[in-house]
Amino acid sequence: MKQERKMHFQEGRRAQQQLESGFKQLENSKRKFERDCREAEKAAQTAERLDQDINATKADVEKAKQQAHLRSHMAEESKNEYAAQLQRFNRDQAHFYFSQMPQIFDKLQDMDERRATHLGAGYGLLSEAELQVLPIITKCLEGMKVAAAAVDSKNDSQVLIELNKSGFARPGDVEFEDFSQPMNRAHSDSSLGTPSDGRPELRGPGRSRAKRWPFGKKNKTVVTEDFSHLLPELQRKRLQQQLEEHNRELQKEIDQREALKKMKDVYEKTPQMGDPTSLEPQIAETLNNIERLKLEVQKYEAWLAEAESRVLSNRGDSLNRHTRPPDPPASAPPDSSSSSNSGSQENKESSEEPPLEEGQDTPIYTEFDEDFEESASPIGHCVAIYHFEGSSEGTISMAEGEDLSLMEEDKGDGWTRVRRKQGGEGYVPTSYLRVTLN
């Protein structure tokens, strides 16, 4: 109807433009007739004045009379043209106001009447639909009223506490650390920043574990030297890479030291080639670098051994957890902002087994590594059983029932690397998938 209304207005504008064009032609012919009449009158007066002038020649009088006759003829033609144009405009104007405009108005009236009929039918259907759903709405409101009356704030708060409690033990007293004595210092086993499994924590210079303050702002993930902010499997890979890199640097320093020793021997045997004492500072610097790199290698080896033991323990726990299918979550699955152990959350709810020891120290994941290893082709496919919102770095979102490509199996930490069909690759919870290997 909007297009029809636009078409009727365009038709009216075209008819009006034609009438305006005819009126302009009428005005032009009227001005031409008026101008030609003045010129003819002026030419007639000139011819009469020369005819009465005794000094005017016969040729001038004849020329003036011919000019007056010509002007009179032109005025007569302009008069006829003006009369024809006036008659034509009056006919067009009558046709516009008595025929075209009424037809256009009739079409607009018919369109508006049809619009009103459609609106009436629509309002009737709306009223019927409202009357049909009114009992449902009333029932819903009654149910809301009953539910509001049945609110148990004490029970609700207890449920919320059970869902969100951290499980961390209260911290003990902070022990005094005597930095004046060259001795190994140990943190309190009950400290907020100390692992609860009693194992000694390897720390580099200037490294300390941040405390978890209960009323502080949301802690941002701190990238640590031992990569403890990553998943155990990714931590193991990164530690292996660092260990290999430090071994290469160590071997390079050892080779450099051997070369300097050989050069020093040559200088001692042939003094004219150089001063052997000039190589002492370089040899000393190389020895210091070797000692430093050896300490770094030992440190990374200890961290790697600890990470491998954690991977093996998680793998055993994952095998126990996957002996039976997980229960569907009562609510939306936890996202990456949860500080609880995502990989063992369902197992903890369905059994009385104690949580993993490292879960008391750090969550099962806080940040994922962005750099995934290259994979030539998927090793299988999987279907998402539940919806997952991957809001943490390294994770990826998936919808319930979505088909995904399996890029890497669960390494025992409860996470599987997948690829979406529309692009994007990341980790998702293994318990949220139904996996089929190629």
Side-chain angles (χ1 to χ4, degrees):
M1 287 186 175
K2 185 177 180 180
Q3 290 297 117
E4 183 180 352
R5 180 175 180 271
K6 184 178 179 181
M7 181 186 66
H8 294 329
F9 277 108
Q10 288 177 351
E11 184 180 354
R13 280 193 291 270
R14 283 197 298 269
Q16 183 173 329
Q17 289 174 359
Q18 291 177 359
L19 184 64
E20 290 176 355
S21 176
F23 182 74
K24 289 180 181 178
Q25 293 178 2
L26 175 64
E27 288 293 321
N28 292 334
S29 62
K30 178 182 176 181
R31 285 193 293 270
K32 184 174 182 299
F33 174 53
E34 182 182 4
R35 185 173 60 253
D36 289 345
C37 285
R38 286 198 298 268
E39 293 292 335
E41 184 178 358
K42 184 178 178 180
Q45 291 175 358
T46 303
E48 184 178 358
R49 186 177 66 253
L50 289 177
D51 187 31
Q52 294 178 359
D53 189 0
I54 58 175
N55 296 323
T57 61
K58 185 177 180 180
D60 292 337
V61 173
E62 289 295 330
K63 184 178 180 180
K65 288 182 178 181
Q66 290 179 0
Q67 187 70 18
H69 180 71
L70 178 62
R71 291 294 182 182
S72 177
H73 181 68
M74 292 175 61
E76 189 66 24
E77 289 182 351
S78 298
K79 178 181 179 180
N80 295 333
E81 182 180 356
Y82 170 61
Q85 191 66 35
L86 179 63
Q87 185 179 5
R88 188 182 305 112
F89 173 75
N90 289 333
R91 184 178 66 251
D92 293 342
Q93 181 176 249
H95 177 67
F96 176 77
Y97 283 105
F98 289 95
S99 178
Q100 287 181 317
M101 290 302 297
Q103 290 178 3
I104 294 174
F105 286 146
D106 289 341
K107 292 177 181 178
L108 289 172
Q109 181 180 357
D110 178 68
M111 182 210 68
D112 195 73
E113 290 174 355
R114 285 186 283 112
R115 183 185 65 84
T117 302
H118 290 318
L119 280 177
Y123 285 129
L125 293 174
L126 174 63
S127 303
E128 292 179 3
E130 290 288 343
L131 290 174
Q132 290 176 2
V133 301
L134 189 59
I136 303 175
I137 297 176
T138 304
K139 187 176 180 180
C140 291
L141 292 175
E142 292 176 354
M144 292 170 63
K145 184 177 180 181
V146 173
V151 168
D152 187 356
S153 57
K154 294 290 185 182
N155 181 66
D156 291 345
S157 63
Q158 290 299 322
V159 172
L160 185 64
I161 291 171
E162 290 297 325
L163 288 176
N164 295 277
K165 64 183 180 180
S166 65
F168 293 116
R170 292 182 179 90
D173 295 337
V174 179
E175 296 180 358
F176 176 76
E177 299 183 30
D178 191 357
F179 290 95
S180 62
Q181 299 296 329
M183 58 180 291
N184 294 328
R185 295 177 299 277
H187 291 275
S188 172
D189 290 341
S190 59
S191 174
L192 280 172
T194 305
S196 60
D197 52 8
R199 291 177 295 184
E201 184 180 10
L202 295 173
R203 298 179 183 273
R207 292 178 64 251
S208 62
R209 187 176 298 278
K211 292 182 178 295
R212 298 183 178 89
W213 300 109
F215 296 103
K217 294 183 179 180
K218 183 179 180 181
N219 294 327
K220 295 184 179 179
T221 301
V222 179
V223 179
T224 56
E225 190 179 3
D226 60 352
F227 302 104
S228 59
H229 62 287
L230 300 176
L231 288 169
E233 183 65 26
L234 294 178
Q235 180 191 14
R236 183 179 63 82
K237 293 179 181 179
R238 279 302 181 91
L239 289 173
Q240 286 178 345
Q241 293 175 1
Q242 291 294 324
L243 183 59
E244 292 174 359
E245 182 178 350
H246 281 76
N247 282 326
R248 285 195 296 268
E249 293 180 2
L250 178 60
Q251 187 61 41
K252 182 178 178 181
E253 293 292 336
I254 293 174
D255 295 341
Q256 185 175 359
R257 183 189 62 178
E258 296 297 329
L260 290 172
K261 284 184 176 181
K262 292 180 180 179
M263 188 178 297
K264 183 180 178 182
D265 293 339
V266 172
Y267 287 175
E268 289 176 350
K269 294 178 181 179
T270 312
Q272 61 269 21
M273 294 186 65
D275 185 9
T277 57
S278 63
L279 299 176
E280 292 295 337
Q282 300 182 30
I283 295 175
E285 182 182 358
T286 305
L287 289 174
N288 291 333
N289 291 337
I290 290 174
E291 293 299 325
R292 177 181 57 81
L293 289 173
K294 284 182 177 180
L295 292 176
E296 290 289 329
V297 168
Q298 292 177 2
K299 179 175 63 176
Y300 277 103
E301 286 177 346
W303 284 340
L304 180 59
E306 184 180 357
E308 288 179 345
S309 64
R310 185 179 295 115
V311 169
L312 293 176
S313 63
N314 284 343
R315 186 168 300 172
D317 179 74
S318 177
L319 292 175
N320 294 332
R321 183 174 66 247
H322 292 138
T323 54
R324 62 181 184 278
D327 297 331
S331 59
D335 56 16
S336 59
S337 63
S338 172
S339 62
S340 63
N341 190 327
S342 301
S344 60
Q345 179 71 22
E346 298 152 5
N347 187 33
K348 182 172 68 175
E349 294 178 359
S350 61
S351 66
E352 297 297 326
E353 295 178 6
L356 295 175
E357 291 179 347
E358 60 267 21
Q360 301 292 339
D361 181 22
T362 55
I364 190 67
Y365 77 99
T366 52
E367 291 289 337
F368 286 102
D369 186 20
E370 292 181 353
D371 302 324
F372 298 116
E373 293 184 350
E374 295 292 333
S375 179
S377 61
I379 61 176
H381 69 278
C382 47
V383 179
I385 305 176
Y386 310 114
H387 171 78
F388 176 69
E389 189 69 27
S391 58
S392 177
E393 182 182 359
T395 61
I396 189 172
S397 301
M398 64 179 181
E400 182 178 352
E402 182 177 358
D403 292 328
L404 305 164
S405 298
L406 179 64
M407 306 306 297
E408 183 179 330
E409 290 188 86
D410 186 359
K411 299 296 185 180
D413 48 19
W415 295 90
T416 300
R417 184 154 62 97
V418 298
R419 179 185 295 166
R420 304 184 70 180
K421 290 185 178 179
Q422 59 268 34
E425 187 173 324
Y427 284 93
V428 296
T430 306
S431 57
Y432 284 31
L433 299 175
R434 185 167 61 249
V435 179
T436 304
L437 295 177
N438 290 340

